[in-house]
Amino acid sequence: TRRGVPEAILADVKTPGETATLAAAAVDSTGHAILTRASQAHVDAVAAELDAEVELERDERARTLVAHAPDFEPPVLDATVGIVTGGTSDAEAAGEAAVIVREMGASLTRVEDVGVAHLGRVLDHLDDLRAADVLVVAAGREGALPTVVAGLVDTPVVGLPVSTGYGHGGEGDAALSGMLQSCTVISTVNIDAGFVAGAQAGLVARAVSDAREAGSGDGPESDSN
Amino acid sequence: TRRGVPEAILADVKTPGETATLAAAAVDSTGHAILTRASQAHVDAVAAELDAEVELERDERARTLVAHAPDFEPPVLDATVGIVTGGTSDAEAAGEAAVIVREMGASLTRVEDVGVAHLGRVLDHLDDLRAADVLVVAAGREGALPTVVAGLVDTPVVGLPVSTGYGHGGEGDAALSGMLQSCTVISTVNIDAGFVAGAQAGLVARAVSDAREAGSGDGPESDSN
Amino acid sequence: TRRGVPEAILADVKTPGETATLAAAAVDSTGHAILTRASQAHVDAVAAELDAEVELERDERARTLVAHAPDFEPPVLDATVGIVTGGTSDAEAAGEAAVIVREMGASLTRVEDVGVAHLGRVLDHLDDLRAADVLVVAAGREGALPTVVAGLVDTPVVGLPVSTGYGHGGEGDAALSGMLQSCTVISTVNIDAGFVAGAQAGLVARAVSDAREAGSGDGPESDSN
Amino acid sequence: TRRGVPEAILADVKTPGETATLAAAAVDSTGHAILTRASQAHVDAVAAELDAEVELERDERARTLVAHAPDFEPPVLDATVGIVTGGTSDAEAAGEAAVIVREMGASLTRVEDVGVAHLGRVLDHLDDLRAADVLVVAAGREGALPTVVAGLVDTPVVGLPVSTGYGHGGEGDAALSGMLQSCTVISTVNIDAGFVAGAQAGLVARAVSDAREAGSGDGPESDSN
Amino acid sequence: TRRGVPEAILADVKTPGETATLAAAAVDSTGHAILTRASQAHVDAVAAELDAEVELERDERARTLVAHAPDFEPPVLDATVGIVTGGTSDAEAAGEAAVIVREMGASLTRVEDVGVAHLGRVLDHLDDLRAADVLVVAAGREGALPTVVAGLVDTPVVGLPVSTGYGHGGEGDAALSGMLQSCTVISTVNIDAGFVAGAQAGLVARAVSDAREAGSGDGPESDSN
Amino acid sequence: TRRGVPEAILADVKTPGETATLAAAAVDSTGHAILTRASQAHVDAVAAELDAEVELERDERARTLVAHAPDFEPPVLDATVGIVTGGTSDAEAAGEAAVIVREMGASLTRVEDVGVAHLGRVLDHLDDLRAADVLVVAAGREGALPTVVAGLVDTPVVGLPVSTGYGHGGEGDAALSGMLQSCTVISTVNIDAGFVAGAQAGLVARAVSDAREAGSGDGPESDSN
Amino acid sequence: TRRGVPEAILADVKTPGETATLAAAAVDSTGHAILTRASQAHVDAVAAELDAEVELERDERARTLVAHAPDFEPPVLDATVGIVTGGTSDAEAAGEAAVIVREMGASLTRVEDVGVAHLGRVLDHLDDLRAADVLVVAAGREGALPTVVAGLVDTPVVGLPVSTGYGHGGEGDAALSGMLQSCTVISTVNIDAGFVAGAQAGLVARAVSDAREAGSGDGPESDSN
Amino acid sequence: TRRGVPEAILADVKTPGETATLAAAAVDSTGHAILTRASQAHVDAVAAELDAEVELERDERARTLVAHAPDFEPPVLDATVGIVTGGTSDAEAAGEAAVIVREMGASLTRVEDVGVAHLGRVLDHLDDLRAADVLVVAAGREGALPTVVAGLVDTPVVGLPVSTGYGHGGEGDAALSGMLQSCTVISTVNIDAGFVAGAQAGLVARAVSDAREAGSGDGPESDSN
Ligand SMILES: Nc1ncnc2c1ncn2[C@@H]1O[C@H](COP(=O)(O)O)[C@@H](O)[C@H]1O
Ligand SMILES: Nc1ncnc2c1ncn2[C@@H]1O[C@H](COP(=O)(O)O)[C@@H](O)[C@H]1O
Ligand SMILES: Nc1ncnc2c1ncn2[C@@H]1O[C@H](COP(=O)(O)O)[C@@H](O)[C@H]1O
Ligand SMILES: Nc1ncnc2c1ncn2[C@@H]1O[C@H](COP(=O)(O)O)[C@@H](O)[C@H]1O
Ligand SMILES: [Mg+2]
Ligand SMILES: [Mg+2]
Ligand SMILES: [Mg+2]
Ligand SMILES: [Mg+2]
Ligand SMILES: [Mg+2]
Ligand SMILES: [Mg+2]
Ligand SMILES: [Mg+2]
Ligand SMILES: [Mg+2]
């Protein structure tokens, strides 16, 4: 796998049959496979194609399917990714991010339904937000949540704009624009690109985990800033 | 004057001479005149044209000029408008709003430099924000401030998007989109339309002031919700 | 409830089941619930979930559902909101606004089918337009009605652009742009955002009602402008 | 000349020298020449190039220059074009239209500063509006004037959107969109295309004038609707 | 009816029932009714609602329905409208225009399938194109046909952009832009606005017909240019 | 040089000094250099930097500068490129294309001022258009010329949209959209990308020239279609 | 047929019946017919309409149908077109291009699934890429593949943007923009315009083939650069 | 300072005087100050305002100014950021990123002028690209470089789109869209947002450095994947 990122199969632009063939090939060559944006028909086709002993995990809300060969040894990272959402309509994109994060081996913390119009709910979760090594913050409509959260933590934040909203700036456009215009420091991915946000956070988590395991040669007593 | 809103002369699309003629006509017929987006050349031309006893007030940052005939009696409203800004680049649009609010006779409270990436600064001004009868909240870049403020108060909020920001969503586009997509209740005006935001707040203040002065016939002891 | 605005549940992005759960929770905690953009399936699921004594009011044209617990005491405001439409295609958005206005306790006046290409119809309703404390004016296609109406009244006007029209500027874009560019003073909400327009008018009505009931201490004989 | 429409030289994308050469050629071959969007430098270069007896007429506000050879016989049409504007910022585009209309030989009526936010001013000019055979209606910002006027007359209306306005829908975009979405019957030209609007009205005037002069063989006593 | 233009009922945004009620009211008050964008369900509902002696004419390709009361006397104009199309995908919009033109009483000439990539076909129809008093030219994709045709005739041309084409500039955007940018004199209507293009041509035809019938008082022997 | 295409230095985003350094390096390594979008200041700086014996050719209208070392042997192709323009505003982009075509060694034919609103002028040049091996057709405003030309010839046509036009679709947008939507077969380059259009035509000319020189082994008497 | 390009019938905007009539007419007059974007229903209707001896070739993935009359003699070109794709989602557009290329008589090489994020796969196919006379390179999402390929070959490259991708720049917009902005020399066609890309490459192939067969009179021993 | 990110003063929207006051305040409270997009006038005003012993570092190409109080102790991180550019026009944005990275204490590697049309230059720098802990990859025009680089390394990549390019997709739009559509895993910042890209990379570097210094308690001999 490239960069430790599992190769995901974007199912909704493929037939169930094509998807099943690709999934079988992935399990054969890498020991696992991930489908995103998969309907039940995709899941059924993959289940029928794969050997019975391959373990399948379906997340309906995230529309993902993960397949593990019996001998697949998943990676384990010594680092935590936090995934934050502003409301229930962010669940699919955030769920897709969560599946990839777990598949890359990072620990996962989820903070849900903390909207910018209700600051109290955000402030209630400060400890969780600050405990993660890197955060994915999903938000639709005006997309202000990543900015508010980034103002409260010390870690890198990846904004994930979600295609909610209607009218002018709807379908995630206002959220994407708002994240790019943020008056604090965040980076961004495409609208609804839960896979990309999760994998980017996973890459940061892996870099942190590798650094933690390698150490610096002069031990934990040192303090660089 | 229409709806108690002073007729403003948008100077930057007119020559100094045209502006001076229009200002003199306005002072003659209504006792006062207001210029917005006025350069020093506009101000000079108006000063040269008007009678010496006409009182002039220039606000350089807001780029406005107000002229009062000696016998002009400004309105006085029993209501307060609050104007809130996220940063120094909001000063011109917010200042334009402030000039109109004062000319319509409302009391004015200003809360400045409270950005969404620094929630503490917003929370420090809660009392001022809650004391006003209606708020204008100006914000550029991602334009999230009106949403955050509206979540903290009980009064109507008018969002004023400001043309800061560069790249995608710059020039006020992200701010406008964000206010239209707001997950709380606000209304909005055009980008940099300080005059419109201030006048709309002034109309609400006038309605409140009129109601306060008329009373309901059954006095302040009643309580409707 | 936040700012006296009932928390509305946007049904069309939720399953009937999710909607029913949220509605039951809202009735439990606040005594009432409001669904917007609700299909019959949403209505049926809510009716099945709620206790039999909860009173339900469905408005099919506005696609809303309002639920009141037996002991819920609705607010009553001493102020009137006028809602104006240009044609039958504005009925859904305007109806959504009307439901929220009533739920916030304001009196309601409706003026319908007054188009800018038929000025006579507008002028016929001048008395109704001028009797309201604040107006919501809905318009699709070129969206000029709020400007024409605002030129005829003394009160604040909230423009509500509606997603009619096809081709260039269709789906409400021309209407929104036209309201933002209006050559008079109005504020605006997002395309089809009937809930937001109605609630913003409700907030103004509440401010006026509160002022009326509190009075100014020096009675109705005073006159501020 | 094509379709009786004088070939106009769009000066602002040419050097004064190029413009002068083209103007001299046009006067030679057709007896007249028209420059649009001409600066004083263009005018000076043309004046220096042309023979002394060629008659020049400059309209500074419309930025046009018309040249007539001594023996040029201008057309005379038995038809009237009305040109209507909403405000002073429409003067340049409307003036350009007026120059072309006159050069095509139609009679011209101008109605100025009739805005949609002040219906009274529009209604004051009903007789003039109804006396013309075809109307050009120029409007910037929300561009609603052609719709309002077309609702009051029986003749064809050509909308001319003008590049005023700032922020969202500014630079004539809202005006163009509004005219295309108009809920009455009008046709439209490009933003600031005064030449095209005037020439299209001139073509209609010529068709009407030709019909008037030819008659129908059964005289004016007949009545078709 | 306003300006001699029949009030059309845009069916596709209304239920069959609403459409039938509106059609019946129109037949009652004006003697006729026109539906545009009508499905068979709309047609059936109208047929069921109207009295049996009302005459109905359905044009399936144009998706229109015309209803005439037994005593309705259609107007007859002494003028001809030409309608030109570039290909079969322009049939619906051009057909809608044709129905309105006929209902306004003008004579109609149709020229079909003359594309800009096959100039010969255009030139074959020069006589027909030149015989009309005013032309509607429909074109999709790059929308160049109205420009090419206008270069060949002496009469006013109304461009009708059609929503064919895919990818960048598809859905009629390139055609509309191209007509607004035309290097000759044409005016334009919205994408697919066959009703508006036909009615605008009808208004010109009526002006010409009225002029023809009234004459100029000095007979057909005079010649103005 | 890559693909036989000279590496061009886009001068307008560089200082004269930077440009001179790059030009000297190019002459040293490849024997020649080409500047596009070069002001006189760029030309002067390059002239001062290069050795006196380097031959310089400036084309002011095309804003190019070509430099040849004394021993540089320019390529000579046995193929012809035709460059066609609709009007004088296409001169700069078309001129840039011409300079590259000549530098790549192809023969060049130019056909100028043939607009789609004057078909006669296009038809007058049919022989020249058909004699070239490949055509670049530049057009601004509605950009229909490449489509009309391609309908008349048997060779590949590369459309070159030019940034003329104002208002909606101006600055080359309508021209680009129109070429992409063309109802005949053409390919396109970016707006004003004269260098790219000329070089693409040069690549086709080189392929044809190579084929001509290599022959097919069975001589000119064969005939493939 | 025009320019040796078969006239293709774009089926998806026509009924099966209309398509069958057009196909029969094309076979009658030119000996062959091509349908693009054809569903099975279109194919069935054509098969039923055509004579039994007409040979039909259906490509399901490309959604094309080719019909050859018994006596049709397909052209044979002495030139090769290469078609390159980045992934499986490019298959339909690339397949459409391939069908046209073959119908024009060129030899065809296909290189598949070479993505810019896996440079190794591109470099593995260098020989095939360099052996073609002209290349069509299809790419969706960020559309960088034509630029990378053009940097590796000496021949003309036509970019074919494909409508994959979601969110900002999705549906082929980013791919088209990227190809127009390419820092190397390519020309482009509209999004998903496989027919146009293939036919443009076919026109280049025909020019090369003609040149090869005609020769230059001085044989293959000469060498022009 | 928030998140270890120095508060930068965006100079180009401020007067030199305002900038100097803000810089002095920042040096007083945090020991350092950073100006971005600073002209020489800004630099002079700051130099005049600050105490003589404050150390100033100006980077003209990046348009930055860094000020350090005599007792300021800059952070030192045990991590490396790589900054990669496609060409000289990326220098300003990339330089801004570099200044922030250094101010945050990370080591810095720069790889310049590696364009996607010349893959060889990219491959030559593989060792440098792979040695960094996190990469910022700046690219204008089609913006494909971050995708190509990310396919070659194991670390997180932050794309920085640059406002080069003209015509459709110019000014950085194609580059931003391309990065959001990337078929590999990257995150993105706004067009020309060098400060944000550099600071985000600095936050990742700080997380890695902290992890390295803290270690995992079980030393460098462990290996997590
Ligand atoms: N939901 C997703 N969003 C963005 N990229 C994805 C998603 N799912 C898969 N991908 C990636 O998209 C690329 C193309 O996928 P495919 O079309 O399946 O070859 C692969 O590199 C996948 O890793
Ligand atoms: N196809 C159409 N295109 C444009 N306008 C139409 C069309 N059909 C009806 N109209 C006009 O649209 C306006 C609003 O129509 P309605 O929504 O039916 O009230 C009326 O004035 C109709 O005359
Ligand atoms: N006028 C032009 N239009 C498009 N590309 C150009 C132009 N002039 C130079 N180029 C190309 O742009 C690329 C980048 O140029 P530069 O910024 O000078 O490195 C080079 O490959 C040049 O060949
Ligand atoms: N070049 C830059 N790009 C993006 N943000 C910046 C830049 N320079 C400063 N900032 C940030 O912009 C925000 C507003 O800056 P200011 O307008 O100076 O108060 C601050 O949080 C700065 O850290
Ligand atoms: Mg949100
Ligand atoms: Mg802000
Ligand atoms: Mg309307
Ligand atoms: Mg106007
Ligand atoms: Mg067409
Ligand atoms: Mg042109
Ligand atoms: Mg691709
Ligand atoms: Mg680049």
Side-chain angles (χ1 to χ4, degrees), chain A residues 6 14 29 34 49 71 74 76 90 93 103 152 161 171 195 201 204 217 219:
Chain A
K14 302 189 175 68
S29 60
I34 299 190
E49 177 84 16
D71 57 347
V76 181
D90 307 329
E103 196 66 13
L152 299 169
E171 300 297 309
F195 168 77
V204 174

Side-chain angles (χ1 to χ4, degrees), chain C residues 1-215:
Chain C
T1 61
R2 174 180 47 165
R3 305 165 84 202
V5 181
E7 194 84 32
I9 301 162
L10 190 63
D12 67 357
V13 295
K14 302 189 176 68
T15 63
E18 290 170 343
T19 303
T21 309
L22 289 164
V27 170
D28 269 5
S29 60
T30 71
H32 63 159
I34 298 189
L35 270 68
T36 60
R37 309 190 175 194
S39 68
Q40 193 55 43
H42 290 105
V43 172
D44 293 344
V46 171
E49 176 84 17
L50 291 181
D51 287 348
E53 68 267 31
V54 174
E55 193 186 354
L56 293 180
E57 195 172 20
R58 165 69 167 170
D59 183 331
E60 250 181 75
R61 221 179 176 188
R63 291 205 291 155
T64 53
L65 180 76
V66 175
H68 280 191
D71 58 347
F72 178 68
E73 283 190 41
V76 182
L77 300 182
D78 182 7
T80 302
V81 174
I83 298 187
V84 186
T85 57
T88 53
S89 27
D90 307 329
E92 182 180 330
E96 195 180 288
V99 167
I100 305 304
V101 164
R102 269 195 306 257
E103 196 65 14
M104 291 179 74
S107 300
L108 183 65
T109 310
R110 298 195 65 163
V111 176
E112 293 189 332
D113 291 316
V114 293
V116 291
H118 303 90
L119 290 183
R121 295 191 205 157
V122 182
L123 298 173
D124 287 352
H125 290 85
L126 258 187
D127 288 350
D128 273 352
L129 297 172
R130 288 182 172 158
D133 292 295
V134 55
L135 293 169
V136 170
V137 185
R141 307 202 55 162
E142 79 278 58
L145 191 58
T147 294
V148 168
V149 169
L152 299 169
V153 302
D154 289 329
T155 42
V157 171
V158 178
L160 169 53
V162 177
S163 64
T164 49
Y166 55 83
H168 185 73
E171 300 298 308
D173 281 350
L176 172 63
S177 300
M179 294 184 196
L180 291 170
Q181 292 293 335
S182 174
C183 53
T184 185
V185 171
I186 58 174
S187 65
T188 312
V189 298
N190 199 9
I191 298 165
D192 291 333
F195 168 77
V196 180
Q200 179 79 339
L203 287 172
V204 174
R206 209 178 50 159
V208 167
S209 175
D210 286 355
R212 224 163 241 154
E213 307 225 346

